[in-house]
Amino acid sequence: MVIGISIAVILASCLMILLVLLHKGKGGGLSDMFGGGFSSNFGGSSVVERNLDRLTVITGAVWFVCIIALGLLLKQ
């Protein structure tokens, strides 16, 4: 069980790093290379950015739950 959660933490951490790097910053970002630069003026942010935000939040929640579970398992 501990090994499975540890692997999930490692995967979630790597995915979180990738997703944060893909976000568009003040001067652009890596997301411009993958189509994130096509933003509309009406919505404030593109569909790609909104989906990237959702994926980042979900990945962060999974990472947080895995860290708490791992801490509780190792405490015993």
Side-chain angles (χ1 to χ4, degrees):
M1 186 76 168
V2 174
I3 294 173
I5 295 176
S6 298
I7 291 172
V9 167
I10 291 169
L11 291 176
S13 299
C14 292
L15 185 59
M16 182 69 78
I17 291 169
L18 179 70
L19 290 173
V20 168
L21 287 176
L22 285 176
H23 276 281
K24 187 173 185 179
K26 288 183 180 179
L30 291 177
S31 63
D32 288 340
M33 293 188 331
F34 301 109
F38 300 111
S39 62
S40 66
N41 294 332
F42 301 111
S45 65
S46 67
V47 174
V48 174
E49 282 290 325
R50 282 183 288 190
N51 288 336
L52 196 56
D53 289 340
R54 289 181 190 137
L55 281 173
T56 305
V57 169
I58 291 169
T59 304
V62 167
W63 180 86
F64 183 75
V65 168
C66 288
I67 288 292
I68 296 297
L70 194 59
L72 289 175
L73 285 174
L74 292 178
K75 188 176 181 180
Q76 297 175 354

